[in-house]
Amino acid sequence: MNSDKKTLFDKIWDAHVVGETGGNSSIIYIDRHYCHEVTSPQAFDGLRKRGLGVFRKDRTFCAPDHNIPTMHQDSPIVDPVSRNQVETLRRNADEFGLRLFDICDPHNGIIHVIGPETGLTLPGQTLLCGDSHTSTHGALGCIAFGIGTSEVEMVLATQCLLQAKPKTMRINVEGQLAPGVTAKDVALYIISMLTTGGATGYFVEYAGEAIRSLSMEGRMTLCNMSIEMGARGGMVAPDEKTFEYVKGREFAPRDAEFDRYMEYWRTLKSDDGAKFDREVTFNAADIKPRVTFGTNPGMGIGIDEAILEVPSEKAAGSSYLKALEYMGFRPGQKLAGTPVDYVFLGSCTNGRIEDFRAFASMVKGRSKAEGITAWLVPGSQQVLRQIRDEGIDRVLEEAGFELREPGCSACLAMNEDKIPEGKLCVSTSNRNFEGRQGPGARTILASPLVAAATALTGCLTDPRIFLSQE
């Protein structure tokens, strides 16, 4: 291995190492730290007990997102547990002097949506949050990953983290994606091919023609799902799309400062000949619109395919069949045409403006199916404003859909947005675990286009049917 040739991950990691422990861990400096209401309370309590403050207040930003209601946000939170968590974050931010984007603040929303859209997330950063889907931010070409509560406390107190350096993996997707195939389908395809543990211990760089063709928001969707295959995080090398996306955002560098940053950002790519610990390549032509059929994101198929047969006598087969039993499906069954009760558009995976544009483009001039309950939840207040400014809200209303207010919502059902027991939901979120969307709820993960097509027909529907009519 040529030590002069570095991967993108190595370049950013090495630039942030401020100390070595003598073992396999390094002390790395953290550029940006995000806190929400679920994982931060114990960390702030730990600071109090030790008589410590937050070391770099200008590097930490807070926002409630998991527990906030998505209706009537201007009223007090009804659920006492959710109300307590949000109020605790408010008190902690006030006591420790941190910037808080509270409910109804123009910057509020899901932390992994508001970071990039405000310009707080930048290429080349090290970025942490007490939330597994922090990997989303890697789409801008930074090292971003989730941490536990004790690590949140460490970062608050020192602006550094003790961390073992992960191995590196490059996933190439070559060729062009077919019409109707989205970044969500790419993510679900890769996870099904590598399995939910296939990238454990690795930090993934996504590359190839199909990845470069994705929009910035599509790259965020892809990086968001990285941990669903066990990866520590995911990233895409910054390019002209990245720079154009960042330029002019509220908290991003401006003018001469932006130009200085750009000089560094243009160096952020893996060197030719850089060695990855593992490298895999997929063909974009093999990817169709995808859906899950089981209780983890790796249990997925093309929407026009049948559920795979697995021998029940195998140990893996027992777990496989248990998942199918929970979902009410069987080996060999085709899912297209399956009646659906709920559709959820939103989450840090697919709650951005492009997702709402895609959904609206399919339902425009058509009508929501009777019997379908659809929750359309923007990822942030900014997304909500864009929806209204672009007239997307009118398109949705004319098609029979109701727009809700920003928050994590039914992705993990920590507020009132819970899918009832036994009901089947097509969801644009990131996890389909048992009870993830509510006790006994059944979840099919899919793209915004699949969600839109399903909402129009009342059953699981291939969006390419509607695309062929346009």
Side-chain angles (χ1 to χ4, degrees):
M1 178 177 175
N2 188 337
S3 59
D4 294 333
K5 304 292 186 179
K6 289 188 175 184
T7 69
L8 169 60
F9 178 85
D10 289 333
K11 288 181 179 182
I12 300 174
W13 179 278
D14 293 349
H16 287 79
V17 172
V18 295
E20 301 288 355
T21 64
N24 63 346
S25 295
S26 300
I27 302 170
I28 58 172
Y29 181 77
I30 305 305
D31 293 306
R32 192 74 76 219
H33 185 208
Y34 297 140
C35 289
H36 58 61
E37 73 275 25
V38 177
T39 56
S40 65
Q42 297 90 339
F44 284 112
D45 282 344
L47 293 183
R48 286 190 192 91
K49 291 175 182 177
R50 297 162 63 192
L52 298 175
V54 175
F55 181 59
R56 288 294 304 271
K57 298 177 183 179
D58 61 324
R59 299 285 177 165
T60 297
F61 294 82
C62 306
D65 55 11
H66 283 55
N67 293 85
I68 63 178
T70 58
M71 298 290 283
H72 311 297
Q73 289 188 345
D74 56 346
S75 301
I77 299 175
V78 175
D79 179 72
V81 175
S82 294
R83 184 173 63 250
N84 179 61
Q85 287 207 293
V86 172
E87 290 177 349
T88 299
L89 181 63
R90 288 172 181 155
R91 290 193 300 270
N92 286 331
D94 180 64
E95 178 182 343
F96 289 92
L98 302 176
R99 180 71 181 269
L100 171 69
F101 301 135
D102 207 346
I103 301 175
C104 296
D105 185 293
H107 299 95
N108 180 252
I110 304 172
I111 201 76
H112 308 313
V113 175
I114 65 177
E117 73 180 10
T118 59
L120 286 171
T121 300
L122 298 172
Q125 289 180 331
T126 49
L127 187 154
L128 303 178
C129 178
D131 185 284
S132 55
H133 291 103
T134 306
S135 55
T136 307
H137 304 265
L140 280 85
C142 57
I143 293 178
F145 55 91
I147 54 176
T149 297
S150 61
E151 293 172 312
V152 171
E153 182 180 344
M154 184 188 304
V155 176
L156 289 171
T158 67
Q159 205 56 39
C160 292
L161 181 70
L162 182 65
Q163 189 73 13
K165 187 176 182 179
K167 295 179 290 185
T168 56
M169 177 191 293
R170 182 159 61 189
I171 297 177
N172 306 290
V173 184
E174 299 294 353
Q176 298 181 0
L177 298 173
V181 177
T182 71
K184 182 63 162 289
D185 302 304
V186 175
L188 290 174
Y189 177 82
I190 292 173
I191 297 167
S192 70
M193 296 299 290
L194 295 182
T195 76
T196 54
T200 300
Y202 292 92
F203 208 102
V204 173
E205 179 182 341
Y206 298 99
E209 180 185 1
I211 304 304
R212 292 191 297 273
S213 73
L214 293 176
S215 67
M216 288 306 301
E217 300 200 347
R219 296 176 188 184
M220 291 178 210
T221 296
L222 179 61
C223 289
N224 174 275
M225 297 287 289
S226 299
I227 61 158
E228 309 308 338
M229 55 185 176
R232 195 72 180 96
M235 65 197 317
V236 177
D239 56 14
E240 294 304 320
K241 284 185 183 179
T242 316
F243 308 145
E244 187 61 30
Y245 177 88
V246 170
K247 191 173 184 178
R249 295 192 179 268
E250 183 171 353
F251 298 109
R254 293 181 179 274
D255 304 325
E257 185 185 16
F258 184 84
D259 294 337
R260 287 195 298 272
Y261 272 87
M262 280 283 290
E263 291 180 14
Y264 170 56
W265 293 343
R266 290 190 185 281
T267 70
L268 296 177
K269 56 185 178 181
S270 292
D271 296 328
D272 293 338
K275 180 70 174 178
F276 290 82
D277 294 296
R278 185 183 179 192
E279 189 157 6
V280 293
T281 299
F282 299 106
N283 186 349
D286 295 334
I287 307 175
K288 306 175 182 179
R290 309 251 332 156
V291 292
T292 59
F293 57 84
T295 54
N296 71 58
M299 299 177 73
I301 52 175
I303 195 168
D304 58 355
E305 298 171 353
I307 296 174
L308 307 175
E309 299 277 358
V310 171
S312 60
E313 65 270 20
K314 290 186 178 181
S318 175
S319 174
Y320 185 90
L321 294 177
K322 179 178 180 293
L324 290 184
E325 181 180 5
Y326 178 85
M327 291 297 296
F329 301 144
R330 65 182 185 280
Q333 178 182 348
K334 283 198 170 185
L335 295 186
T338 301
V340 170
D341 305 295
Y342 282 75
V343 166
F344 171 56
L345 173 66
S347 82
C348 60
T349 315
N350 284 123
R352 297 176 181 82
I353 187 62
E354 286 188 8
D355 302 308
F356 280 83
R357 288 171 183 158
F359 191 98
S361 71
M362 185 158 289
V363 305
K364 185 176 183 178
R366 300 183 171 105
S367 297
K368 181 176 74 71
E370 292 186 13
I372 281 279
T373 299
W375 290 339
L376 312 185
V377 185
S380 70
Q381 292 287 346
Q382 179 171 312
V383 173
L384 180 57
R385 288 193 298 275
Q386 288 177 281
I387 288 171
R388 290 169 175 164
D389 290 345
E390 296 179 18
I392 293 173
D393 57 334
R394 294 190 295 275
V395 172
L396 297 174
E397 183 179 355
E398 290 169 3
F401 295 93
E402 181 183 15
L403 191 63
R404 299 172 82 91
E405 294 172 294
C408 290
S409 186
C411 173
L412 73 172
M414 291 187 73
N415 64 0
E416 297 92 338
D417 301 349
K418 295 176 173 60
I419 307 302
E421 183 177 359
K423 298 298 184 181
L424 183 63
C425 177
V426 168
S427 176
T428 66
S429 53
N430 42 52
R431 287 178 174 165
N432 54 338
F433 304 155
E434 289 189 23
R436 169 79 175 182
Q437 293 194 288
R442 301 181 297 144
T443 300
I444 292 175
L445 298 179
S447 73
L449 290 180
V450 172
T454 300
L456 292 172
T457 63
C459 59
L460 192 63
T461 300
D462 190 331
R464 293 173 295 186
I465 295 172
F466 290 102
L467 293 175
S468 66
Q469 298 172 5
E470 297 177 357

